[in-house]
Amino acid sequence: MKLLRLPRQALADWLAALGRDAEVFGPKATAEGPALASLAPGETPDEAPGPPKAPLKTFFFPQPETLAVFSTRRDDPEAHVLRPPRLEAGRRVVLAGVRPCDARSVVLNALPFAGDPYFQARCGATVLIGAACAETCGTCFCRWTGGDPLGTEGLDLLLHPADGGDLLVEVLTAKGEGAAPEAGRPAAAADAEGLAARREASRRAAGRAPDPRPPLAAVDLLALHGAPFWGRVAEPCLNCGACTFLCPTCYCFDIQDETLRGRGRRIRYWDSCMFPLFTRHASGHNPRGAKFQRVRNRFLHKFRYFPDRYGPFSCVGCGRCIRECPVGIDVREVLREMLAFAGRGA
């Protein structure tokens, strides 16, 4: 790992230089809090604590996303034959000011989408420049889910505040090496030691936080599925889907065909397991027709089904769902309910 020291005033010039052959995005201050937006030359990412409202998946799962195109003309011998869409070849994207929790969401989403060419192409064309969390919000809980405010998973470079107002730049990947700032100079040994001490302190803090993964992995799945608290958890839920659309690791989608004037396209767009139609069969049967079944599925997917298949939780502890839920459902309280049930030896 290479560590550079970058003068604060050189940050804008660095991002502007990256913007010569890429689109640069980052959080910008708005009246509703930081929002992901294009950064013009001279602009730098907003440094307000916590993640911006929109999750990073907006860049990796655009909606709608064209999967294939086809002709619907009656005189076309290849009508309704699916063809690959014209991809935005060479479109390079730089995402700056990314919080470690959001970068980790890309790593988690890559597990079920390992064979998806659209997602993988976007990952390959994107440089992720992180911003370590010097302070966290009351809704942040990344340590519960295996993350860290100074975590590097999924990032190509990570920026840390340094003394004198400068920045320390960790170069983490070959892609990050190619995007590293020319104005950056090798950091002093004292910088590296100071960063190592901060990281060790963060690890010790993680050691004091509860790790909910082992007890939830051990509890009987059918017993947890039938636990009595799901109805109480689901009672205030409106099934509005805000939690799933804002969640960086929710990736449910639907596929539809659109046709217009002799041409058609097959599109993928976001869907939500909170919606009753999501699981309704063509026969009319719905295996998750009741609200509590949909709420239960959301939490079991994140904390039991996904870990059973891939290992980690499908949650990065960004706290968006806590912050934005209109009825105040707190995923941490649901986790505590699940852990209490597991602790009773169910």
Side-chain angles (χ1 to χ4, degrees), residues 7 44 66 77 96 117 149 156 206 218 261 266-267 271 295 306 309 317 336:
T44 58
T66 302
D156 298 300
R261 297 170 185 165
R266 178 157 296 177
I267 58 171
D271 205 342
V295 173
F306 191 94
R309 184 164 184 183
R336 290 192 184 101

Side-chain angles (χ1 to χ4, degrees), residues 1-6 14 100 127-133 148-153 155-161 167-181 184-185 187 191-192 194-196 198-199 203:
M1 186 270 292
K2 181 191 290 185
L3 185 64
L4 304 174
R5 178 177 273 263
L6 182 71
W14 174 35
V127 177
L128 289 176
I129 302 175
C133 296
D148 190 286
L150 307 183
T152 59
E153 280 185 273
L155 289 167
D156 298 300
L157 303 114
L158 178 58
L159 309 185
H160 302 265
L167 295 167
L168 294 180
V169 183
E170 278 187 286
V171 183
L172 301 164
T173 66
K175 202 191 297 181
E177 179 75 37
R185 296 292 176 260
D191 290 330
L195 177 56
R198 290 205 297 274
R199 190 154 271 148
R203 287 197 184 100

Side-chain angles (χ1 to χ4, degrees), residues 79-325:
H80 302 290
V81 176
L82 297 177
R83 303 293 183 196
R86 183 181 302 167
L87 296 177
E88 299 167 80
R91 182 177 180 268
R92 191 163 168 257
V93 173
V94 174
L95 301 178
V98 176
R99 295 299 180 189
C101 56
D102 271 345
R104 188 162 179 261
S105 74
V106 181
V107 177
L108 297 181
N109 290 337
L111 296 171
F113 284 82
D116 186 281
Y118 309 94
F119 176 82
Q120 293 298 330
R122 289 192 170 85
C123 287
T126 304
V127 177
L128 289 176
I129 302 175
C133 296
E135 58 181 307
T136 57
C137 298
T139 50
C140 294
F141 64 109
C142 66
R143 290 192 176 101
W144 289 35
T145 63
D148 190 286
L150 307 183
T152 59
E153 280 185 273
L155 289 167
D156 298 300
L157 303 114
L158 178 58
L159 309 185
H160 302 265
D163 54 50
D166 289 350
L167 295 167
L168 294 180
V169 183
E170 278 187 286
V171 183
L172 301 164
T173 66
K175 202 191 297 181
E177 179 75 37
E182 291 184 3
R185 296 292 176 260
D191 290 330
E193 291 167 3
L195 177 56
R198 290 205 297 274
R199 190 154 271 148
E200 179 57 31
S202 186
R203 287 197 184 100
R204 286 200 297 273
R208 291 196 295 273
D211 184 352
R213 289 169 291 181
L216 286 183
V219 69
D220 179 76
L221 177 57
L222 287 180
L224 186 59
H225 190 269
F229 57 80
W230 291 117
R232 176 162 39 84
V233 169
E235 187 173 4
C237 180
L238 305 175
N239 274 178
C240 66
C243 53
T244 57
F245 285 120
L246 293 171
C247 174
T249 57
C250 278
Y251 48 75
C252 289
F253 62 85
D254 196 3
I255 292 178
Q256 291 190 4
D257 286 353
E258 289 184 341
T259 60
L260 180 67
R261 297 170 185 165
R263 294 187 295 181
R265 65 171 183 161
R266 178 157 296 177
I267 58 171
R268 173 166 68 183
Y269 61 91
W270 299 1
D271 205 342
S272 171
C273 61
M274 290 290 99
F275 298 157
L277 284 179
F278 183 71
T279 48
R280 194 172 76 178
H281 300 177
S283 66
H285 170 66
N286 194 336
R288 293 202 290 268
K291 180 173 71 173
F292 88 93
Q293 294 173 318
R294 297 189 286 277
V295 173
R296 177 178 62 189
N297 176 76
R298 169 170 160 74
F299 290 111
L300 285 180
H301 170 78
K302 293 203 165 294
F303 301 120
R304 185 57 193 265
Y305 303 152
F306 191 94
D308 279 355
R309 184 164 184 183
Y310 299 108
F313 282 163
S314 179
C315 174
V316 294
C318 67
R320 286 184 178 91
C321 58
I322 304 169
R323 201 170 59 192
E324 304 295 341
C325 177

